[in-house]
Amino acid sequence: MHLWQLNKWRKFYSGVECRQGLRLRFGKGVDPELRLAILKFANWVRREFDFPIRVVAYIRSTEYIKAKDGDLVSGTFWGPYDRTEEPCIRVAAGDFYKLTKKWGKDKAIAATLRTLAHELSHYYQWLNDLKLTPIGEERQATSYANAIVYEYEEEINSEWT
């Protein structure tokens, strides 16, 4: 079954009052065109998938985000031990101009959407309490990120035809 459609989370949250959904918070300096693309992607994701416990995605205008281990990364996911606390995602979007020059605007937008989808895949791994190795978590998240963004691109492209 599709990772983003698993419902093992129901055993954790039955009878528990908590906020739901996907929320986006943009830092100052995020490119307006990229911001709009992320908002459109998030609206599509909200229509297609459940977010039984609220997750906030912070989109930063920095080129990298420092992970807990000190590495500089494109995105991070934090899932609290207490399953009633809200998890959060951080995505670096400050390399958009550099990526646009290198790959073009559409591919630069897709790269940021894949980072967000990758971190959302970690959200669903955490939500469903999947037991994977760290390498397995990353491989699964990368695979689903690519599939989700591809599915989204197929849908928006079919709207134009």
Side-chain angles (χ1 to χ4, degrees):
M1 181 169 216
H2 193 292
L3 170 66
W4 288 34
Q5 294 172 331
L6 284 177
N7 60 10
K8 291 181 179 184
W9 54 265
R10 292 187 193 278
K11 67 182 175 185
F12 299 112
Y13 298 108
S14 62
V16 175
E17 291 286 327
C18 59
R19 295 189 294 184
Q20 300 178 344
L22 168 63
R23 174 124 163 95
L24 299 174
R25 303 284 296 182
F26 291 90
K28 291 180 182 176
V30 173
D31 179 82
E33 195 168 4
L34 178 60
R35 183 180 193 276
L36 181 60
I38 293 169
L39 287 169
K40 287 180 179 179
F41 175 71
N43 285 336
W44 176 80
V45 166
R46 288 182 190 109
R47 283 193 311 270
E48 298 292 321
F49 303 100
D50 291 326
F51 292 88
I53 186 165
R54 183 178 177 184
V55 59
V56 179
Y58 297 92
I59 313 300
R60 304 286 187 214
S61 61
T62 58
E63 195 166 335
Y64 297 102
I65 291 169
K66 188 177 277 193
K68 287 184 180 181
D69 63 4
D71 285 349
L72 296 177
V73 296
S74 298
T76 62
F77 170 78
W78 176 75
Y81 179 76
D82 180 350
R83 302 188 76 70
T84 60
E85 288 183 38
E86 295 176 359
C88 72
I89 290 170
R90 295 182 302 153
V91 173
D95 61 350
F96 179 65
Y97 297 114
K98 185 191 304 184
L99 294 179
T100 298
K101 285 182 181 179
K102 185 176 179 180
W103 298 334
K105 182 179 61 174
D106 290 344
K107 288 183 180 180
I109 289 170
T112 304
L113 297 182
R114 266 193 305 280
T115 299
L116 178 56
H118 180 96
E119 301 311 325
L120 286 169
S121 295
H122 287 309
Y123 164 79
Y124 285 106
Q125 291 168 342
W126 169 83
L127 184 67
N128 290 292
D129 198 30
L130 298 185
K131 304 297 184 204
L132 300 169
T133 65
I135 291 173
E137 285 178 355
E138 289 304 312
R139 286 181 178 162
Q140 184 181 57
T142 299
S143 174
Y144 274 93
N146 290 331
I148 292 292
V149 172
Y150 179 78
E151 186 178 337
Y152 173 67
E153 288 173 341
E154 288 293 304
E155 184 160 319
I156 62 171
N157 287 336
S158 70
E159 291 174 4
W160 292 101
T161 57

